[in-house]
């Protein structure tokens, strides 16, 4: 008890090992082997891990961001709040966007000011520029859309998309159970029979 204080107030270089009993505290970010760990110099409730991750948050005021990965959230500034960016270069160019949830390297990389987007997958949603989108799958780059859902498989293969009030299924659809409501299956054939089914379903079937 009552051991001597570490005899330096500036920088210190240690050759060998350092054993610590207790804790080490710092009011600045720490860089260990090129990886920065901290909250970007006192910004409220930020957690940042990675070289160049959230580097522009320093003194800017962005709060409640969790940023993990090389270059992730690098351009976040004053109004970039409550973003979770995980992966190398994830959300790289987001500047003032809020509440974006990103998991995957390069995901949502070029969206500067979009809010409430969810992007999961490698290189996915790189070209997204709108708000409120959910993009799941690798290499799904769908451009300027808003309030849309896109799900894919493999590398850039769309399987399901809902945007602008239209839902598109890029595959066969098998239904087990009941389908309720008004459903139009085919309308392109001139000779068709309209069939009234149970539960209020209406089908237009090509003959």
């Amino acid at each position: 008890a009552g051991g001597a204080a570490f005899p330096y107030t500036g920088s210190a270089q240690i050759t060998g090992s350092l054993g610590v009993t207790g804790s080490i505290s710092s009011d600045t970010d720490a860089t260990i082997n090129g990886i920065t760990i901290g909250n970007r110099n006192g910004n409220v409730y930020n957690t940042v891990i990675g070289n160049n991750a959230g580097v522009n948050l320093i003194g800017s005021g962005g709060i409640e961001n969790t940023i993990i990965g090389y270059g992730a959230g690098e351009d976040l500034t004053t109004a970039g709040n409550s973003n979770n960016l995980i992966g190398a270069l994830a959300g790289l160019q987001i500047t003032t966007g809020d509440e974006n949830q990103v998991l995957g390297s390069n995901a949502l990389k070029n969206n500067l000011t979009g809010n409430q987007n969810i992007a999961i997958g490698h290189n996915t949603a790189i070209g997204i520029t709108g708000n409120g989108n959910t993009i799941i799958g690798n290499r799904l780059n769908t451009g300027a859309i808003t309030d849309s859902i896109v799900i894919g498989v493999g590398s850039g293969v769309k399987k399901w998309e809902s945007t602008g009030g239209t839902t598109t299924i890029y595959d066969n659809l098998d239904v087990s159970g009941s389908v309720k409501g008004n459903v139009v299956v085919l309308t392109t054939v001139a000779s068709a029979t309209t069939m009234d089914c149970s539960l209020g379903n209406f089908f237009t079937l090509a003959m």
Side-chain angles (χ1 to χ4, degrees), residues 61-77:
I63 65 172
E64 297 179 347
N65 297 288
T66 298
I67 306 170
I68 301 175
Y70 166 76
E74 184 172 328
D75 291 343
L76 272 172
T77 57

Side-chain angles (χ1 to χ4, degrees), residues 88-100:
L89 303 179
L92 171 70
Q93 295 184 351
I94 297 174
T95 55
T96 59
D98 296 332
E99 300 176 7
N100 295 291

Side-chain angles (χ1 to χ4, degrees), residues 155-179:
S155 180
V157 180
K158 292 181 182 179
K159 285 295 185 179
W160 194 87
E161 181 174 11
S162 179
T163 183
T166 300
T167 297
T168 304
I169 299 173
Y170 298 91
D171 212 335
N172 295 326
L173 176 64
D174 294 327
V175 178
S176 176
S178 300
V179 178

